[in-house]
Amino acid sequence: MTAVAVVNPAEHYGAYLGAIRSGDRRRAFQVMDAARDAGLDLAGIYLGIFQPALREIGCLWQNNELTVAEEHLATAITQAAMARAYERAFTWRTDASRRLMAACVDVERHEVGLRMLCDLLDLEGWHTTYLGATVPSESLVAMVRRLRPDVVALSAALTPHLPRLRTVIAAIRDALGDARPLIIVGGRPFLDDPSLAQRLGADLTAQNAVDAVRLLGERVSRAR
Amino acid sequence: MSQSVFTHLPACFDGFPGALLHLSPGGRVIESNGHLERELGKPVVGERFSEIIDAESCGEKWDRVLAAASSTGAPSTCELVLGKGETMLEPKAFSVLWDAESSFIWLVQHPSDRRMDNVRQQVTEVNSELASAQRGLVRERERLAHSLADTERSNRALDEFAHAISHDLKAPLRSVANYARRIEEGLGAQLTGEPRAHMELLRTQVERMKDGAHIAEPNEGDRERDRAVPDPVASSRSIAQRAVSPCITI
């Protein structure tokens, strides 16, 4: 029996945080490549390295140790690193029958979490459509009407954006009635209080992207 | 009511493009140059500054900055998010200055250049679109690779089919030709006019089909050309034409 080495993301997390904190894109890519070469899969890289590193960047901003510009640079580097990791992990699946559409509600700019969800679902054989950050409510509902996805994933990272999220969910329900898609929501406020999701009219929330992939896999059947 | 502290400022500050606030050591707004009121759409004088900013993201940060300013009097800089109803404004940078009598705090917003803000916004959007485009390219590349593999499998199957057909056609065609020849020989001089013409046409067509049967087997040059143009429809049509063109026009 072959022994499988257990890769600990924490070994790479510190180096990655240091790289994005100093705005060193090349170094960040090297760390990510090393983590992948060591055997870490996409979910492990996303949740074990990128997500905690970006949260720490946010904390450093709150501690007045980083500026907004530095925070944006760290996010941009991570977006590029994610695309690089995705490219190396993606394989075409002919059985992609389940469809998810993802968007950040109007004025919401924190999009990395939704990107992670879409990427991981792609690898699970979903067909995902990512609309982007700050998607106007009317456009979002129009796209749901047109694409008729099985699932709509919405993100609101800041508490003041929750009323907009509630409005969008209500608009989707009104527009599609019983034929409406499953609605999953995510963002910092839902980590603190998962019951918020139901109160805002959503069907699901998850603690992280891997959890969301598992929950959606259970709720949406493959053959539709 | 406190005196208007802004009367002590040089006249040039009248047109200062950012916010100027005068705070008590406890953080309550005593005076404002009106900039934040216009931006937030609500009065700020008399309010605690901690109630103007987004407490969730900046509350503790402001408390620390205020405590440091009160205890050390040293100037510091911080970025804070102001709240405007359901909308979060972009973080704004402020310098926190302790006045000479150590009884007030000046909060001076770093003036921002709208053009730079727009550029930053555009860069963020382009980055996001680039990330989407990169994923789209990856997916299309993988899909094309998958389609190419499918096409090559189809072409191999067509080659095998054409090869089998060419062998299967030869024996019956040879029989037809032999029987036609025997009928012509048997009837001899009795076969004249239109019947003879039909028999000659039959033999000619059979010979052409026999010639076509070995042409239906694609040679290596054909395969190379098919690989260079991996179009399954074109490849199928090419093989079909090779197989039947000697007999009929399609």
Side-chain angles (χ1 to χ4, degrees):
Chain A
M1 185 172 170
T2 308
V4 178
V6 179
V7 185
N8 182 6
E11 294 170 10
H12 306 277
Y13 159 75
Y16 185 78
L17 176 63
I20 60 172
R21 186 176 175 178
S22 58
D24 191 339
R25 184 166 168 270
R26 285 177 190 277
R27 177 71 190 131
F29 285 0
Q30 285 170 355
V31 175
M32 193 274 291
D33 289 346
R36 182 164 169 71
D37 292 345
L40 210 56
D41 63 8
L42 194 67
I45 292 171
Y46 280 9
L47 265 59
I49 300 175
F50 293 166
Q51 185 168 291
L54 287 180
R55 283 187 178 155
E56 180 59 21
I57 290 290
C59 290
L60 289 168
W61 178 81
Q62 284 182 319
N63 289 337
N64 215 28
E65 293 177 44
L66 284 184
T67 65
V68 169
E70 289 167 318
E71 187 189 11
H72 284 187
L73 180 57
T75 305
I77 291 172
T78 300
Q79 288 259 32
M82 284 173 65
R84 186 180 173 94
Y86 174 86
E87 181 175 5
R88 293 173 180 207
F90 182 80
T91 52
W92 179 256
R93 296 273 296 260
T94 54
D95 59 345
S97 57
R98 293 172 292 182
R99 304 173 70 89
L100 174 135
M101 198 184 86
C104 297
V105 293
D106 203 359
V107 310
E108 178 61 66
R109 298 186 189 282
H110 297 84
E111 59 174 328
V112 174
L114 270 186
R115 287 255 189 227
M116 287 182 175
L117 174 62
C118 288
D119 288 355
L120 295 180
L121 283 173
D122 279 348
L123 265 56
E124 288 295 312
W126 285 64
H127 183 93
T128 67
T129 304
Y130 176 71
L131 297 184
T134 66
V135 179
S137 301
E138 299 79 15
S139 307
L140 203 158
V141 173
M143 285 297 282
V144 175
R145 270 182 190 275
R146 192 160 72 82
L147 297 180
R148 294 299 178 104
D150 302 308
V151 181
V152 172
L154 301 170
S155 173
L158 303 171
T159 308
H161 297 163
L162 293 179
R164 289 175 190 271
L165 191 62
R166 183 204 300 271
T167 304
V168 169
I169 292 170
I172 293 171
R173 284 177 177 276
D174 289 347
L176 286 104
D178 292 339
R180 73 174 179 81
L182 195 71
I183 298 173
I184 185 168
V185 291
R188 169 65 73 176
F190 302 99
L191 294 180
D192 299 333
D193 181 6
S195 70
L196 258 179
Q198 207 168 18
R199 299 210 298 277
L200 294 175
D203 301 299
L204 285 174
T205 187
Q207 290 294 299
N208 55 52
V210 169
D211 195 27
V213 169
R214 182 184 56 77
L215 285 172
L216 291 175
E218 291 169 0
R219 291 289 294 269
V220 183
S221 61
R222 198 178 290 271
R224 291 179 65 88
Chain B
M1 182 76 181
S2 305
Q3 62 175 352
S4 174
V5 294
F6 288 104
T7 57
H8 300 298
L9 287 172
C12 63
F13 276 91
D14 289 347
F16 184 67
L20 276 170
L21 296 173
H22 203 207
L23 308 183
S24 71
R28 193 173 293 279
V29 181
I30 300 169
E31 283 282 351
S32 162
N33 66 345
H35 190 92
L36 278 189
E37 282 91 334
R38 285 193 293 278
E39 193 156 9
L40 298 173
K42 62 182 181 183
V44 300
V45 174
E47 299 290 327
R48 293 181 64 80
F49 189 69
S50 58
E51 291 162 1
I52 298 170
I53 60 174
D54 174 56
E56 185 182 22
S57 58
C58 303
E60 291 179 16
K61 186 178 191 176
W62 171 243
D63 288 343
R64 282 195 299 274
V65 168
L66 186 62
S70 301
S71 61
T72 67
S76 63
T77 298
C78 64
E79 287 174 322
L80 300 167
V81 176
L82 306 181
K84 184 184 181 183
E86 294 175 2
T87 304
M88 310 290 292
L89 298 181
E90 283 294 300
K92 298 181 186 305
F94 293 91
S95 280
V96 186
L97 308 169
W98 196 248
D99 81 333
E101 290 81 30
S102 299
S103 56
F104 296 105
I105 295 170
W106 292 98
L107 206 54
V108 183
Q109 184 189 340
H110 296 195
S112 60
D113 186 334
R114 282 188 187 279
R115 294 169 300 181
M116 287 303 294
D117 290 344
N118 286 338
V119 167
R120 193 184 65 190
Q121 182 57 36
Q122 293 290 323
V123 168
T124 302
E125 287 174 12
V126 167
N127 264 337
S128 181
E129 286 167 15
L130 180 64
S132 295
Q134 281 174 309
R135 285 163 175 77
L137 282 173
V138 168
R139 282 197 287 259
E140 281 305 299
R141 191 189 65 198
E142 290 293 316
R143 188 183 66 76
L144 283 173
H146 201 267
S147 296
L148 184 59
D150 277 350
T151 302
E152 285 176 347
R153 270 196 298 276
S154 297
N155 278 346
R156 279 197 297 274
L158 278 170
D159 283 356
E160 288 166 9
F161 174 74
H163 183 77
I165 285 293
S166 73
H167 281 279
D168 290 350
L169 273 176
K170 280 178 181 172
L173 285 173
R174 196 177 300 116
S175 294
V176 171
N178 287 339
Y179 279 118
R181 184 170 45 78
R182 285 177 190 172
I183 289 169
E184 281 185 297
E185 289 171 357
L187 290 174
Q190 297 172 36
L191 192 61
T192 58
E194 193 174 348
R196 172 170 290 279
H198 285 160
M199 289 306 294
E200 284 173 2
L201 182 61
L202 174 65
R203 273 193 298 105
T204 307
Q205 294 288 50
V206 165
E207 288 303 321
R208 286 180 63 183
M209 284 190 75
K210 280 168 68 183
D211 291 343
H214 79 264
I215 294 172
E217 295 180 69
N219 59 35
E220 194 53 39
D222 294 330
R223 290 196 186 92
E224 285 302 318
R225 188 187 60 207
D226 289 344
R227 282 189 199 104
V229 187
D231 178 345
V233 176
S235 300
S236 305
R237 186 179 295 129
S238 166
I239 291 171
Q241 280 178 335
R242 284 198 303 271
V244 302
S245 63
C247 306
I248 56 172
T249 302
I250 55 171

